[in-house]
Amino acid sequence: MFNFLIYNKLKLRKWRKLSPEQRLNVYQQIERIEAKKAKRRSYTLYAQDFDFNGLCRSRERAIDLHVRFLQYPEKRFLGMATLMHECRHAFQDHVVESTKKFRMFSRASRWKKNMQGYLDTYNSQKQSEFSFYEMQPIERDANRYAIKRLKRMWFRYRKEPDFHKTLKYREDSYEEAEDKAIKRLGIFYKFRVAFRSWKKRNKRK
């Protein structure tokens, strides 16, 4: 019942009545729900005016969301999708930190290697560099998870046009990312991404 009341606050008629601080608190409560479901520690949310939609800072147990999600009601579901994406990163970190032995080719092993050789090229002016960033295992997984969570809320927000726009945008972006990667990096883009990550990981040793 408690979760139902929290998620209902994203309906436009309710969201409009909330202050930016109250809206951030709604996102914070959703993060706590996600943390409990994933059996991990909850992260503290902060509103930031920066170049990203969101950022997960695992060492600080913090998630930053762009302030525009609190300012513009039509972006509230994009804010929630971004939050789900960052919550997934928090879960990925939790899995890697709590795994004592990494089996070869396991999910935890792939995530750990990607984190050690993370390709932070989000702000690059080169489109090919963005594909390296976007097609990394942990980014691809976080995008897929955000879409999955949105789909499960379809019935709740079926009368919210902004929800449907956000879901379609996230689904289209996810599908188009692979097409763009093939165009920019070639059909063996997965190997190129893995090799680039491997090189960066080895430089740190």
Side-chain angles (χ1 to χ4, degrees), residues 115-129:
M115 290 173 189
Q116 292 174 337
Y118 187 72
L119 304 175
D120 188 11
T121 56
Y122 182 86
N123 282 330
S124 175
Q125 298 300 313
K126 294 182 179 180
Q127 293 183 334
S128 60
E129 290 299 306

Side-chain angles (χ1 to χ4, degrees), residues 86-101:
E86 301 307 332
C87 284
R88 186 62 172 182
H89 283 323
F91 174 71
Q92 291 165 348
D93 286 317
H94 169 74
V95 170
V96 169
E97 289 176 4
S98 61
T99 303
K100 295 180 179 179
K101 293 184 179 180

Side-chain angles (χ1 to χ4, degrees), residues 62-74:
I63 290 176
D64 299 322
L65 292 179
H66 201 289
V67 68
R68 64 173 168 266
F69 299 138
L70 311 178
Q71 296 173 332
Y72 305 106
E74 68 272 15

Side-chain angles (χ1 to χ4, degrees), residues 28-57:
Q28 180 68 73
Q29 292 179 73
I30 292 174
E31 201 291 322
R32 292 191 184 114
I33 294 171
E34 286 289 305
K36 184 177 181 179
K37 183 168 67 74
K39 297 180 180 180
R40 61 168 176 80
R41 288 176 58 184
S42 179
Y43 283 31
T44 302
L45 264 60
Y46 298 93
Q48 303 284 3
D49 186 4
F50 53 6
D51 294 333
F52 309 99
N53 281 334
L55 181 66
C56 179
R57 295 183 282 125

Side-chain angles (χ1 to χ4, degrees), residues 95-96 99 101-116 137-138 201:
V95 170
V96 169
T99 303
K101 293 184 179 180
F102 293 89
R103 294 181 180 178
M104 188 177 295
F105 305 121
S106 68
R107 179 178 67 174
S109 178
R110 292 196 305 272
W111 286 352
K112 182 177 182 179
K113 289 178 179 179
N114 191 179
M115 290 173 189
Q116 292 174 337
I138 60 174
R201 186 167 66 249

Side-chain angles (χ1 to χ4, degrees), residues 137-149:
I138 60 174
E139 293 299 334
R140 196 70 171 156
D141 175 76
N143 284 327
R144 184 167 54 247
Y145 178 79
I147 293 171
K148 179 181 178 181
R149 293 293 289 126

